[in-house]
Amino acid sequence: MNLTVLFGIISLVLWVVLAFVVAVPAGWVHLFYVAAVVLFARRVMLGAPRFRS
């Protein structure tokens, strides 16, 4: 698991908690969802980083 997947999971969990559990009425909460989708799409499109030595 790399940092892209980790940050995607964290932002998705933050979005669920802030949007549904706490029910924050502001629109900025959905930026966490956008970040999660972008990070997961980046992971799928680029794949795992390859470390070359």
Side-chain angles (χ1 to χ4, degrees), residues 4-29:
T4 304
V5 175
L6 183 66
F7 287 141
I9 292 170
I10 289 172
S11 54
L12 191 62
V13 168
L14 277 173
W15 175 72
V16 167
V17 168
L18 290 175
F20 297 110
V21 177
V22 180
V24 177
W28 61 267
V29 173

Side-chain angles (χ1 to χ4, degrees), residues 25-46:
W28 61 267
V29 173
H30 300 296
L31 291 176
F32 289 114
Y33 180 69
V34 171
V37 168
V38 167
L39 289 172
F40 285 132
R42 179 178 180 260
R43 170 70 174 161
V44 169
M45 290 172 48
L46 297 179

